[in-house]
Every structure is written in C-alpha cells, then in structure tokens.
C-alpha cells in the first residue's frame, strides 16, 4: 500500500488534517512509528532500525546517519561524514525540505514502496539525491573539494553520478537509480521522475551552460539521453530509450532516436501520473 499522508494509518494525529500538522514533524513521527512496528515484527532488524531511526531525535540526525553508513570507507570515516552531513541538514533548511519532499515522492509514486521509512532506509535513489543535495550545498559554500569528493564517492558506492553544481527542485524521484548521470549545469524542476540509465549530459561541443533544463512534472523514461543546453517543458514525457537533442514542448510526449513528438499529455493529469 502506498503512503497516504491523509490516511489514519499514516497520520500521527488522525483526527487532524495533514495541513494542520507541522509537515516535517508529521512525517518524522510516521517514520518512527513505522520503525517501531517493524522492529517488533522483525527482531533480526531491530538493531538496524534502532541505530538508523529510533536512536535519533530528529529526521536530520537519522538521515545523516543513514547516508554516512552507506557512503563511508576506510578514509571517509562514518563519524566524520555524519558530522558533515548533519551540519548541512541543520543549517540549510532547503536541503531538509528537499529531503522531506523526496521521501514523500518515493512513497507516493512508487507502488513498490511500502512506507516512507522504507525509502529512507533502503532506496539508493533517495540516498543519491540527498547526498547530492548536501554536496551541492557544500559546493555553493565554496567547499568544492569536499563536494566533488562526495560526488566521486556516490558514483563509486551507488552508481549515480550527479555533479554538485546541478540544481534540483523538490519532490524528485530516482526510480532504481542505476547508471544515472546528471551534468554540472543541469537544472531539474519539482516533482520530476527519472528512471534508471538516464543521462542529462552535454554534447561535448559546448562550454559553460551546456546541460539540459528539465521543468516541473516531467517523466524521463529508462535509458533515455538528453544532451545539450535544451529545455524540456513542464509535464513532458520522454519515452524509454529516447535520444533528445532538441527542446521538448510542455506536455509533449517524445520518443525515438533522435526523439520526435508522438503525442501530448493532459496538463491536469501530469502531476499525478509522473
């Protein structure tokens, strides 16, 4: 069953509407309750669930722990990564807001996602996005060497390569997240879904601003490639395996190599169907 923030099972205060609750605390309470339920049901996972979620008093601390546990190696120690990640999450509200929106995107758009806690604990697409959000914040602050080191480690550990200069909106969903490449000057809007094997890259013939600009509510199908500083309009759909070399109009459906428009989407349906 997909996550529904309005359902009584998902709500920390079922008698209140979702809008009446503090959004972040609401989601964190839901995640903690799910972890408590799962720890009771699966004793073998109780230590893992305690260390990852139940031992922490905030979403930021839990996320910093999960990411540091996933990305550490012999020279990037988990305690050092935890401190670095936590500082960004506590001082950059946009990073935490993006992380919250992304976890809801997983739960709402992926039928296989049983709960928000499942996305937080296990989804490497989610982990990749949050590592990028942190590295991007460090990049903007001038910590470029650290940001690029995180990009390299993310690519090595999870197979997702996102330059810290790329700009991401909120509610982004990387489904499966195998072999995704996003270039330095790419811009991705809100509520975008990107499937496995996608490249948002340059043509190799440009310098400066050279990567795609993806508007809100776009779906980029598996193994698609979008090259160059071109715009993909709001609500567009790029079919799997497409090679996109020219701008895509809003709400257009494109397919093929090179991609051509093959249809249109209904504007009112794109946000729900992404």
């Amino acid at each position: 069953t997909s996550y529904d923030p309005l359902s009584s099972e998902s709500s920390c205060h079922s008698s209140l509407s979702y809008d009446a609750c503090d959004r972040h605390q609401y989601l964190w309470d839901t995640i903690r309750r799910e972890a408590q339920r799962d720890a009771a049901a699966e004793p073998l996972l109780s230590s893992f669930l305690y260390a990852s979620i139940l031992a922490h008093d905030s979403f930021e601390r839990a996320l910093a722990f999960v990411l540091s546990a996933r990305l550490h190696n012999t020279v990037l120690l988990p305690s050092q990564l935890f401190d670095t990640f936590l500082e960004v999450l506590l001082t950059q509200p946009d990073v935490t807001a993006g992380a919250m929106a992304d976890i809801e995107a997983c739960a709402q758009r992926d039928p296989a996602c049983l709960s928000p806690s499942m996305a937080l604990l296990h989804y490497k697409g989610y982990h990749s996005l949050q590592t990028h959000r942190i590295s991007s914040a460090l990049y903007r602050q001038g910590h470029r060497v650290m940001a690029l080191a995180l990009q390299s480690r993310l690519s090595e550990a999870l197979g997702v390569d996102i330059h810290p200069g790329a700009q991401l909106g909120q509610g982004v969903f990387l489904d499966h997240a195998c072999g995704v490449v996003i270039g330095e000057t790419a811009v991705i809007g809100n509520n975008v879904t990107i499937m496995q094997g996608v490249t948002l890259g340059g043509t190799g013939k440009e310098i400066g601003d050279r990567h795609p600009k993806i508007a809100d509510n776009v779906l980029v199908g598996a193994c698609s490639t979008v090259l160059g500083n071109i715009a993909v309009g709001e609500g567009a759909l790029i079919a799997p395996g497409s090679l996109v070399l020219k701008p895509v109009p809003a709400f257009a459906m494109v397919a093929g190599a090179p991609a051509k428009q093959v249809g249109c989407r209904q504007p009112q349906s794109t946000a729900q169907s992404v």
Side-chain angles (χ1 to χ4, degrees), residues 8-213:
S8 59
E9 291 183 357
S10 297
S11 174
C12 58
H13 303 293
S14 59
S15 62
L16 299 177
S17 71
Y18 181 62
D19 292 339
C21 296
D22 177 81
R23 182 167 172 259
H24 291 183
Q25 188 63 43
Y26 185 98
L27 184 55
W28 173 235
D29 288 345
T30 299
I31 289 170
R32 284 186 59 85
R33 189 172 61 256
E34 291 168 353
Q36 291 169 342
R37 175 202 64 199
D38 294 341
E42 301 288 353
L44 187 61
L45 296 177
S46 60
S47 295
F48 166 68
L49 291 165
Y50 180 82
S52 302
I53 293 176
L54 298 174
H56 306 290
D57 60 5
S58 69
F59 173 79
E60 292 85 354
R61 293 185 68 88
L63 178 57
F65 178 88
V66 169
L67 295 179
S68 60
R70 195 88 196 249
L71 296 174
H72 77 274
N73 60 18
T74 55
V75 293
L76 290 172
L77 302 181
S79 59
Q80 295 170 327
L81 288 176
F82 176 84
D83 291 342
T84 299
F85 294 164
L86 183 60
E87 181 178 1
V88 172
L89 289 164
L90 292 178
T91 60
Q92 303 293 319
D94 60 313
V95 176
T96 299
M100 287 284 188
D102 293 349
I103 214 169
E104 291 180 321
C106 291
Q108 292 168 355
R109 281 182 230 157
D110 185 359
C113 185
L114 301 178
S115 63
S117 61
M118 181 176 178
L120 172 62
L121 292 170
H122 303 299
Y123 272 36
K124 76 169 187 172
Y126 180 76
H127 298 160
S128 299
L129 287 170
Q130 306 332 309
T131 303
H132 166 75
R133 292 189 186 281
I134 292 170
S135 69
S136 182
L138 293 170
Y139 193 78
R140 295 192 304 269
Q141 293 171 351
H143 301 292
R144 296 200 167 193
V145 173
M146 184 63 198
L148 292 168
L150 286 176
Q151 176 196 0
S152 176
R153 180 60 187 147
L154 173 62
S155 178
E156 178 184 31
L158 301 183
V160 174
D161 192 348
I162 311 176
H163 193 282
Q167 302 176 44
L168 271 61
Q170 297 188 4
V172 179
F173 176 41
L174 294 187
D175 196 6
H176 302 294
C178 298
V180 174
V181 178
I182 300 175
E184 177 184 13
T185 60
V187 178
I188 297 173
N190 298 319
N191 303 316
V192 170
T193 296
I194 298 175
M195 306 300 288
Q196 68 271 20
V198 166
T199 295
L200 304 180
T203 63
K205 300 177 181 179
E206 301 171 297
I207 59 174
D209 193 355
R210 60 197 181 279
H211 296 110
K213 309 296 181 282

Side-chain angles (χ1 to χ4, degrees), residues 197-238:
V198 166
T199 295
L200 304 180
T203 63
K205 300 177 181 179
E206 301 171 297
I207 59 174
D209 193 355
R210 60 197 181 279
H211 296 110
K213 309 296 181 282
I214 311 296
D216 296 348
N217 300 316
V218 169
L219 171 58
V220 186
C223 301
S224 296
T225 299
V226 187
L227 298 180
N229 183 13
I230 59 174
V232 176
E234 179 182 359
L237 185 152
I238 298 173

